[in-house]
Every structure is written in structure tokens, then in C-alpha cells.
Amino acid sequence: MAFGRFARLFVTGGIALALTGCGSTSRPGATGAAPQGDGTSVSIPVPLPTARATRAAPAPLVTAIDALHHDFAGKAGIAIRAVDEGWTVEAGGRQRLPQQSVSKLWVAITLLDLRDQGKAKLEDPVVVRAEDLTLFHQPIAMLVTGDGYHTTVGELLRRALTHSDNTANDRLLSYVGGPRAVRGMILRKQLGEIRFGPGERLLQSGTAGLVWQPAYALGNAFAVARARLNPQIRAAALDAYVANPPDGAAPIAIADALARLARGELLSASSTQVLLDTMGASVTGRARLRAALPAGWRIAHKTGTGQDLGPRNAGFNDVGLLTAPDGKRYAIAVMIGDTLRPIRERQMLIQAVAAAVAAHAGSARPSV
């Protein structure tokens, strides 16, 4: 990779990019509040989409994004949609790439769509039991004791989106009707090239070359079983996943869905605000899109991180809605589907895309 050129593009426009760690060390229940509704179960109307003028994409931004995509060594896709101006910039953005935890967005939208139909409330009680536990990042597991963890739908939504808790998301998935319900929402709202997989347990075990067993949810049992596999079996399973990811999505479809969400075309105004506020409270991916934003910018986003096999990673993503100080909004999806590059370079690609958008927005503002 022409890393020197990549690094120069990374700081285009004089934007200093903060280097911070990923993830969170906060304990479950320590911070944040679950999104609240009004306690009612009435249908809330969703405005019909309106026709919007399409403008030509800004040439300097097109050039910058093309160069970033070209210089990165791996299978990646970038898509940017200007919510308020109507233009689109994309490079590799029409291929299906692994979403990983980005797919938690579609569970959240399915839930809030049910809320808009008067079929669900954020205050609805729900129990997370031992048999609901999944794998990898699931801080809610610490709270599952005895007869289970008694909580609310809104709290599961908060944990799934802000901490990317796999068990919270899978329990929410079962609440809304399972993968079929989410796929139905994607089809009904015409979100395009977005797949939804079978849930964390089956998706991750299949990607690793394993058949899911409930014992894998306990401690590091999954990691131990995976480590015992023949490396050729693991490599073949990962190859199959990358070639045809059951949770694959085109970055351009995700950017378009985020733009439609921001314009109020997917959910009611109330549910849209709940979702964007919750995404804005995310603590994951501190060294991805968020790290490149200058003061005064706001972000509502969702990260996704797939499994590693040696130096190889399949699925390293950040998608979200960036809002400039002047109020203009940009829906962004940066997805790395398969690469041997180290995590720092993956973070730098994602940050560089956000930096390029911020630089464009700064240069596009009228002088005073």
C-alpha cells in the first residue's frame, strides 16, 4: 500500500485526528439511561418520502475518496450521501460486505417500526435468561443470575446500540419476531442490498467453522473450541463467509438508509429521535469515525467488528450520521470486508473518510 500517500490524505484540510482506544471498560448498568416512550400503544404516522433533487458530487471529495479506497490494501467499500444536498460519493460501495454488529441497526429499526404501529413499547418488560446468552461482547451476561435479568425493551435497545451487546441484541431480535421479521422490514421499507443474518450465535459459529452449542456461551468456551479447529477448516469457513456473507450489505444501501432515517422517511419523528439519540450515545469505535471530527460536529453511529484469523480480519466497519456545525448532515458507511492490514491502518481509513467529509464541509461554507 502507498502508505505515505494514504497518510497525507488522512490529514487533508489540516484536520488533526485524535488517537483514542476502541471499546469501553464501563460495567453494565453503570451509565446511560434507556430511551423512554410515552407509555402509550397508539399508531404513530410515518411521513411519505418526498422526491429530492440530485446534485453533482463535489469533485475534490470524489478524488479524495477514490484515492483512499485505491490505496487501502483490502476489500473495502465507502459511501457518503449528503442528506440535505442530495449528492452521493462512493468507491466500492455497491458490493456486499460483512456488516457484523452494524446489523444491530436493522433490529432497532424493526423494533421502532413496531412501536410506530402501536405493537410495541419501550417500557415493555422482558427477561434475559441464561439460555439467551450468546458470545463475544455481552456485558449484560454479568447481570443474568437466578431467574434471569428483568429489564425493559428500551434498556435492551440501549445496550445493543451503545455497547454493541450481542446478547441484548439477540434477545431484542427474538422480541421483534426473529430474523424473518427484520428481513420483512428491510423488504417493506425497500432498503435495498442489505441482508440480515441468522443471529449472533449461528453467524459467528458458522464463520469460525463450528456448529453452535449452548456451552459456547459460557466463559471462553467458544474461543477454546475455535482454537482447536484445523486451520484449514477455519480458513475455508472464513473464505466462504467473505465470498457470500449472510449479513452482507452494500455501503451505498446503508448510507441511503441512514439518509432516509435522518429525513424521517423510515420511522415516526418520535422513533427517529429515539434511534438517533441512542446511536449518538455509543461508546464503541472511539478511534473510527468519531476520532476525525472537529469540534462542533455531532455523530450518531454504529460500529461492527468481525473475527480475526491470524492477521486477517473480515468485517471492520463504522456507519453513521455526521452533522456539521451548520446543520448539514452526511450519511457515511465505511466497511472493510477482508484485509491483512493491522487494526491501526483500518482505523485510519475510516477516520480519513470522516476527515475528508469534514474538510469538504469546511471548504463549502460561504465566507463571511
Side-chain angles (χ1 to χ4, degrees):
M1 180 183 68
F3 187 76
R5 182 183 177 204
F6 181 84
R8 285 193 295 275
L9 284 166
F10 179 58
V11 293
T12 297
I15 298 173
L17 301 174
L19 306 182
T20 56
C22 291
S24 169
T25 57
S26 61
R27 294 174 60 85
T31 60
Q36 298 295 319
D38 56 10
T40 61
S41 293
V42 297
S43 179
I44 308 174
V46 178
L48 293 173
T50 56
R52 305 184 67 84
T54 300
R55 300 182 185 178
L61 183 60
V62 172
T63 299
I65 296 304
D66 283 345
L68 288 170
H69 182 258
H70 178 270
D71 288 350
F72 184 78
K75 186 177 184 180
I78 302 166
I80 304 162
R81 197 177 286 279
V83 177
D84 306 294
E85 298 170 285
W87 51 258
T88 300
V89 174
E90 61 97 3
R94 299 180 185 275
Q95 58 187 323
R96 284 184 186 151
L97 299 172
Q99 293 182 80
Q100 292 295 317
S101 285
V102 167
S103 65
K104 290 179 171 70
L105 279 178
W106 320 124
V107 179
I109 291 176
T110 303
L111 167 67
L112 293 169
D113 185 49
L114 290 173
R115 176 179 184 259
D116 288 343
Q117 297 174 48
K119 298 177 181 178
K121 293 188 297 182
L122 298 176
E123 300 82 3
D124 284 344
V126 65
V127 182
V128 181
R129 305 187 189 280
E131 56 265 31
D132 297 317
L133 298 180
T134 58
L135 72 171
F136 296 148
H137 190 64
Q138 48 175 342
I140 201 173
M142 299 170 61
L143 305 175
V144 180
T145 59
D147 66 341
Y149 175 53
H150 294 253
T151 184
T152 65
V153 168
E155 177 65 6
L156 289 182
L157 177 67
R158 182 189 72 82
R159 292 178 181 275
L161 292 183
T162 64
H163 286 74
S164 207
D165 189 307
N166 288 334
T167 289
N169 188 69
D170 266 20
R171 184 63 185 88
L172 201 60
L173 176 61
S174 66
Y175 173 87
V176 301
R180 179 177 294 182
V182 178
R183 293 169 191 147
M185 180 280 296
I186 291 171
L187 181 63
R188 183 162 35 84
K189 293 189 179 290
Q190 301 180 31
L191 300 188
E193 287 294 322
I194 296 174
R195 287 177 170 178
F196 187 81
E200 288 294 337
R201 290 180 281 197
L202 296 181
L203 178 71
Q204 301 300 346
S205 55
T207 302
L210 292 167
V211 175
W212 175 257
Q213 298 179 29
Y216 290 162
L218 304 177
N220 66 340
F222 181 86
V224 170
R226 186 177 61 179
R228 289 174 177 167
L229 281 176
N230 184 311
Q232 293 181 338
I233 293 176
R234 282 207 61 196
L238 191 60
D239 286 343
Y241 172 67
V242 169
N244 189 24
D247 66 335
I252 190 68
I254 293 178
D256 181 63
L258 290 169
R260 290 175 60 196
L261 173 70
R263 292 195 295 262
E265 296 174 3
L266 297 184
L267 298 168
S268 69
S270 171
S271 291
T272 297
Q273 197 63 52
V274 166
L275 182 53
L276 291 178
D277 285 349
T278 307
M279 292 170 63
S282 174
V283 299
T284 65
R286 295 181 186 275
R288 301 188 196 185
L289 288 172
R290 184 187 298 277
L293 296 180
W297 281 72
R298 290 178 287 118
I299 180 173
H301 72 128
K302 185 68 197 77
T303 56
T305 306
Q307 296 184 49
D308 297 326
L309 179 56
R312 184 181 181 190
N313 174 266
F316 194 88
N317 314 316
D318 202 358
V319 310
L321 184 71
L322 309 186
T323 304
D326 65 2
K328 288 183 179 177
R329 300 166 295 175
Y330 304 90
I332 296 183
V334 188
M335 305 176 70
I336 302 171
D338 191 12
T339 187
L340 296 174
R341 303 312 303 163
I343 188 172
R344 187 70 196 108
E345 290 185 23
R346 289 177 249 152
Q347 292 169 337
M348 287 176 67
L349 173 63
I350 294 173
Q351 290 180 20
V353 173
V357 172
H360 158 75
S363 65
R365 279 201 291 268
S367 58
V368 293

